[in-house]
Amino acid sequence: MRRSLLLGITAATIAAFALPGSAAPKSMTYTVDFRDATPDPTGMAVGDDGHCSGLLPREAPHVFKAPARGTLKATLGGFEGEWALHLMDAKGSVLAETDTTGAYESLSVKAKKAGTVIHVLPCNLVGTPDGTITIVFTYS
């Protein structure tokens, strides 16, 4: 009796995980605090890689590794003043960049396969030292 009950529970558990309602999530979201305590107003004046290529050294980017094919959306907020945002590939080439005035910066890029590495690089042009990156990855 106990053995058949255990087998029945095991079979029901396996069946529950096979149902469409328990499929992989459609997206994942998390936040990362980012600190750039050395504002660099020369951001767009130097170099050929856009808004975050100023005279001062850059902070290390947040590295995102795509778990599957999908779209990465990065939003930078939580700061005052002027910041910019870059998304770069593993080799350092700019995939997307933005520098708008306002309370946040937001970009998105597609990851064609699992394992794609995307560097999320905010940079403080003339603002407060702290920001927050919100990462949303939507599976496709």
Side-chain angles (χ1 to χ4, degrees):
M1 172 86 173
R2 287 183 183 170
R3 186 176 189 163
S4 61
L5 179 60
L6 180 60
L7 289 174
I9 291 171
T10 303
T13 303
I14 292 170
F17 282 108
L19 294 174
S22 64
K26 294 183 180 185
S27 67
M28 62 183 236
T29 302
Y30 65 92
T31 60
V32 177
D33 292 331
F34 193 86
R35 184 167 183 82
D36 185 352
T38 54
D40 189 355
T42 65
M44 293 192 326
V46 180
D48 59 357
D49 66 346
H51 304 297
C52 293
S53 60
L55 294 172
L56 298 176
R58 295 189 243 200
E59 301 296 326
H62 170 70
V63 178
F64 177 82
K65 188 173 181 181
R69 182 178 175 189
T71 302
L72 169 76
K73 181 177 181 182
T75 302
L76 172 67
F79 60 86
E80 290 183 26
E82 184 56 27
W83 282 58
L85 179 63
H86 276 177
L87 299 180
M88 300 180 300
D89 66 15
K91 296 178 182 177
S93 297
V94 176
L95 301 172
E97 62 181 334
T98 182
D99 178 21
T100 60
T101 55
Y104 70 94
E105 305 283 346
S106 189
L107 293 169
S108 63
V109 294
K110 292 188 182 279
K112 294 180 182 177
K113 62 183 179 177
T116 301
V117 174
I118 300 169
H119 291 203
V120 181
L121 177 65
C123 60
N124 182 355
L125 300 175
V126 280
T128 55
D130 297 307
T132 301
I133 305 167
T134 301
I135 300 288
V136 178
F137 183 79
T138 305
Y139 296 87
S140 56

